[in-house]
Amino acid sequence: MGSDSEDCRLPRVRIDTDPEAKARMRCSDCGATFPRSEARLPAKGTLVCPECDSRAISDVDG
């Protein structure tokens, strides 16, 4: 491949996400906000709030 190959002419993708940023979750029942890694996982596919044991948690946007 020379410098005129198609690969050299492709635009490069710039990713503006912080690799250190962690997904955040919010509990609808107690209002706690916590990293997804802190949510308990009592059964496969079921996340539980680490503060009140509620299953009413969702992702925090942005």
Side-chain angles (χ1 to χ4, degrees), residues 10-57:
L10 292 174
R12 299 295 174 214
V13 175
R14 179 183 163 116
I15 299 174
D16 290 329
T17 57
D18 179 8
E20 297 297 316
K22 296 188 178 195
R24 310 265 320 151
M25 307 293 288
R26 177 173 295 127
C27 177
S28 298
D29 290 342
C30 73
T33 302
F34 49 90
R36 185 182 178 99
S37 61
E38 289 182 10
R40 291 192 312 104
L41 188 66
K44 185 175 182 177
T46 304
L47 296 175
V48 176
C49 175
E51 303 217 5
C52 71
D53 294 328
S54 171
R55 294 176 187 213
I57 61 175

